Coordinates of all heavy atoms in Angstrom, one line a residue:
A285 N -15.6 -9.1 -18.6 CA -15.3 -10.1 -19.6 C -13.9 -10.5 -19.6 O -13.4 -11.5 -20.2 CB -15.9 -9.8 -20.9
R286 N -12.9 -9.6 -19.1 CA -11.5 -9.8 -19.0 C -11.0 -10.5 -17.9 O -9.8 -10.5 -17.6 CB -10.8 -8.5 -19.2 CG -11.2 -7.8 -20.5 CD -10.6 -6.3 -20.5 NE -10.9 -5.7 -21.8 CZ -10.0 -5.6 -22.8 NH1 -8.8 -6.1 -22.7 NH2 -10.4 -5.0 -24.0
A287 N -11.8 -11.1 -17.0 CA -11.5 -11.6 -15.7 C -10.4 -12.6 -15.8 O -9.6 -12.8 -14.9 CB -12.7 -12.1 -14.9
D288 N -10.5 -13.4 -16.9 CA -9.5 -14.4 -17.1 C -8.1 -14.0 -17.6 O -7.1 -14.7 -17.7 CB -10.0 -15.5 -18.0 CG -11.2 -16.3 -17.4 OD1 -11.3 -16.4 -16.2 OD2 -12.0 -16.8 -18.1
G289 N -8.1 -12.6 -18.0 CA -6.9 -12.0 -18.5 C -6.0 -11.5 -17.4 O -6.4 -11.5 -16.3
P290 N -4.9 -10.9 -17.8 CA -3.9 -10.4 -16.8 C -4.4 -9.1 -16.1 O -5.1 -8.3 -16.8 CB -2.7 -10.3 -17.5 CG -3.1 -10.1 -18.9 CD -4.3 -10.9 -19.1
F291 N -4.1 -8.9 -14.9 CA -4.3 -7.6 -14.2 C -3.1 -7.1 -13.9 O -2.3 -7.7 -13.0 CB -5.2 -7.7 -13.0 CG -5.5 -6.4 -12.2 CD1 -6.6 -5.6 -12.5 CD2 -4.5 -6.0 -11.3 CE1 -6.8 -4.4 -11.8 CE2 -4.7 -4.8 -10.6 CZ -5.8 -4.0 -10.9
I292 N -2.5 -6.1 -14.6 CA -1.2 -5.5 -14.2 C -1.3 -4.2 -13.6 O -2.0 -3.2 -14.1 CB -0.4 -5.4 -15.7 CG1 -0.4 -6.7 -16.3 CG2 1.0 -4.8 -15.3 CD1 0.4 -7.8 -15.6
A293 N -0.7 -4.0 -12.4 CA -0.7 -2.7 -11.8 C 0.7 -1.9 -11.8 O 1.8 -2.5 -11.7 CB -1.0 -2.8 -10.2
V294 N 0.7 -0.6 -12.2 CA 1.8 0.2 -12.3 C 1.7 1.3 -11.5 O 0.6 2.1 -11.6 CB 2.1 0.6 -13.7 CG1 3.4 1.4 -13.8 CG2 2.4 -0.8 -14.6
N295 N 2.5 1.7 -10.5 CA 2.5 3.0 -9.7 C 3.4 4.0 -10.5 O 4.5 3.9 -10.5 CB 2.9 2.7 -8.4 CG 2.7 4.0 -7.5 OD1 2.9 5.1 -7.9 ND2 2.4 3.7 -6.2
C296 N 2.7 4.9 -11.2 CA 3.3 5.9 -12.0 C 4.2 6.9 -11.2 O 5.1 7.5 -11.7 CB 2.4 6.7 -12.9 SG 1.3 5.7 -14.0
G297 N 3.9 7.1 -9.9 CA 4.6 7.9 -9.1 C 5.9 7.3 -8.4 O 6.7 8.0 -8.0
A298 N 5.9 5.9 -8.6 CA 7.1 5.3 -7.9 C 8.2 4.9 -8.9 O 9.3 4.4 -8.5 CB 6.5 3.9 -7.3
I299 N 8.0 5.0 -10.1 CA 9.0 4.7 -11.2 C 9.6 6.0 -11.6 O 9.0 7.0 -12.0 CB 8.3 4.0 -12.4 CG1 7.6 2.7 -12.0 CG2 9.3 3.7 -13.5 CD1 6.8 2.1 -13.0

Side-chain angles (χ1 to χ4, degrees):
R286 298 170 177 264
D288 293 333
F291 178 92
I292 305 295
V294 178
N295 189 321
C296 299
I299 301 173

